C-alpha cells in the first residue's frame, strides 16, 4: 500500500518544519530560571498536599520511551514515581511530560483527568484546540527535511489502514538536502549514540498529521516548556511562539530536538519545578 500523491504532498508540508542554518544565536543560550511552584500549591485539592506526584513521560514521533532513560533514572533517584501508562490508571497527583508530538498527547490526555497538576513540554508541539500538525508546521518551513518525502521517509503499510495511510519512519542515511537522522533529528547527540533512537524509532502515521487537537486542558494548568534553540525538527521560532501562546514558563537550551538525551538536567528541573 502506498500513500496517495495528495497525502504525500501534505506529509511533505507537515515535515518541512526545520530551522535554517542561519538560526543561530550570538551567545550561548542557557536554561532560563524556572519558577518553582510549591507542592502545596500544585496539590491543594489532594488529601495529602506534600505527596510527590507521579511523573508520566510521553514520547513523540520517531522516538520511544528509552530515550528518556537518563531522565527517568535521575527522577527515580530523587524518589519520584515515573511511568509511561495511561493517566487514568494512576492514583494521586500527576505531572505529564511530553516530547515532540507527545505535547499534543499530554494536552489532550490532561483534559479527561482530575489528577493532572501540571504539564511539561520538551521540544514539543503545543497545539490549540482544533489545530493539526499539518496546519502549524506548514507555517515554519526549513531545510532539515526536504520537500520530497521519498528522500527521508520509509512508508510502511500497517493492518487495517485507511486508503492512502501508512506508517512513516525516518531514514538514517542523508539524501539530497536531507541531513540524515543524526543531522536532522538527533543533531547534538554523539553519532554512535544516535544509532540507538534511529533503530528504535516509533512510526508517525500519515493520517495523524491531520487529526485536530482536542480540548486545551493546558489553559487551566500550569505548564513549562523546554525549547531547544538548535532544534532542526521543530524550529526554535515555532517552539517559542506556541510556548508563549500557551503561557508556559520557558527554559531555553542550546540543544537539538533530543535535549531529553543531551540536557536531561533541564527536563528534570522543569519536572521538579512543576511539582
Amino acid at each position: 500500500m502506498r500513500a496517495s500523491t495528495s497525502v504525500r504532498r501534505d506529509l511533505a508540508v507537515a515535515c518541512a518544519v526545520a530551522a535554517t542554518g542561519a538560526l543561530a544565536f550570538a551567545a550561548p543560550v542557557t536554561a532560563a530560571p524556572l519558577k518553582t511552584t510549591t507542592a502545596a500549591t500544585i496539590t491543594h485539592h489532594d488529601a495529602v498536599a506534600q505527596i510527590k506526584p507521579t511523573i508520566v513521560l510521553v514520547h513523540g514521533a520517531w522516538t520511544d520511551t528509552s530515550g528518556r532513560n537518563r531522565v527517568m533514572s535521575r527522577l527515580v533517584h530523587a524518589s519520584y514515581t515515573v511511568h509511561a501508562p495511561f493517566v487514568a490508571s494512576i492514583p494521586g497527583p500527576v505531572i505529564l511530560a511530553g516530547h515532540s508530538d507527545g505535547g499534543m498527547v499530554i494536552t489532550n490526555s490532561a483534559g479527561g483527568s482530575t489528577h493532572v497538576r501540571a504539564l511539561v513540554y520538551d521540544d514539543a508541539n503545543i497545539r490549540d484546540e482544533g489545530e493539526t500538525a499539518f496546519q502549524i508546521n506548514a507555517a515554519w518551513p526549513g531545510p532539515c527535511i526536504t520537500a520530497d518525502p521519498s528522500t527521508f521517509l520509509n512508508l510502511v503499510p500497517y493492518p487495517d489502514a485507511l486508503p492512502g495511510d501508512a506508517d512513516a519512519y525516518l531514514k538514517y542515511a542523508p539524501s539530497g538536502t536531507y541531513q540524515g537522522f543524526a543531522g536532522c533529528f538527533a543533531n547534538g547527540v554523539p553519532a554512535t549514540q544516535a544509532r540507538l533512537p534511529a533503530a528504535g524509532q516509533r512510526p508517525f502515521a500519515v493520517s495523524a498529521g491531520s487529526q485536530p487537537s482536542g480540548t486545551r486542558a493546558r489553559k487551566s494548568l500550569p505548564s513549562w516548556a523546554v525549547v531547544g534553540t538548535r532544534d532542526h525538527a521543530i524550529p526554535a521560532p515555532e517552539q517559542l511562539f506556541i510556548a508563549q501562546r500557551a503561557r508556559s514558563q520557558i527554559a531555553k537550551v542550546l540543544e537539538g530536538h533530543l535535549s531529553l538525551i543531551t540536557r536531561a538536567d533541564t527536563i528534570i528541573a522543569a519536572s521538579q519545578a512543576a511539582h
Side-chain angles (χ1 to χ4, degrees):
M1 181 183 300
R2 296 181 61 85
S4 65
T5 301
S6 61
V7 170
R8 290 170 67 86
R9 187 182 303 113
D10 287 343
L11 181 59
V13 172
C15 290
V17 299
T20 66
L23 181 60
F25 293 80
V29 180
T30 56
L34 292 168
K35 180 180 178 182
T36 302
T37 306
T38 66
T41 301
I42 288 291
T43 63
H44 66 281
H45 291 303
D46 296 293
V48 183
Q50 297 301 321
I51 294 177
K52 282 190 174 183
T54 295
I55 298 177
V56 177
L57 304 173
V58 182
H59 66 78
W62 300 315
T63 58
D64 67 5
T65 308
S66 66
R68 291 187 176 275
N69 283 348
R70 185 174 299 178
V71 173
M72 288 189 287
S73 176
R74 292 176 62 175
L75 286 172
V76 169
H77 184 72
S79 299
Y80 285 91
T81 299
V82 182
H83 285 304
F86 290 107
V87 178
S89 68
I90 302 173
V94 172
I95 293 173
L96 294 178
H99 172 253
S100 193
D101 283 322
M104 179 179 176
V105 176
I106 68 171
T107 297
N108 285 269
S109 297
S113 173
T114 59
H115 296 307
V116 178
R117 296 294 178 260
L119 305 174
V120 177
Y121 295 100
D122 169 21
D123 297 300
N125 277 319
I126 312 174
R127 302 179 201 161
D128 271 336
E129 186 172 355
E131 197 170 47
T132 70
F134 286 172
Q135 290 171 335
I136 192 169
N137 289 349
W140 307 93
C144 171
I145 300 177
T146 181
D148 180 4
S150 66
T151 62
F152 67 92
L153 288 178
N154 289 316
L155 297 178
V156 180
Y158 65 89
D160 301 320
L162 294 175
D165 200 10
D167 277 341
Y169 294 84
L170 284 179
K171 294 181 178 180
Y172 188 81
S175 176
T177 58
Y178 173 56
Q179 302 168 347
F181 188 93
C184 174
F185 193 76
N187 60 304
V189 177
T192 54
Q193 192 175 356
R195 281 282 186 181
L196 299 178
Q201 65 179 289
R202 302 294 295 273
F204 177 86
V206 174
S207 59
S210 59
Q211 292 179 353
S213 182
T215 304
R216 294 182 297 174
R218 57 180 172 76
K219 275 187 170 182
S220 58
L221 291 172
S223 64
W224 283 256
V226 177
V227 175
T229 58
R230 289 179 171 173
D231 194 329
H232 292 172
I234 306 177
E238 177 184 347
Q239 287 192 52
L240 290 170
F241 170 77
I242 56 182
Q244 291 165 353
R245 183 180 66 178
R247 299 181 180 178
S248 300
Q249 296 190 52
I250 297 171
K252 299 178 183 178
V253 290
L254 195 61
E255 303 292 341
H257 191 57
L258 297 183
S259 61
L260 73 165
I261 294 176
T262 58
R263 283 299 301 271
D265 59 320
T266 305
I267 314 304
I268 293 165
S271 299
Q272 291 176 328
H275 175 201

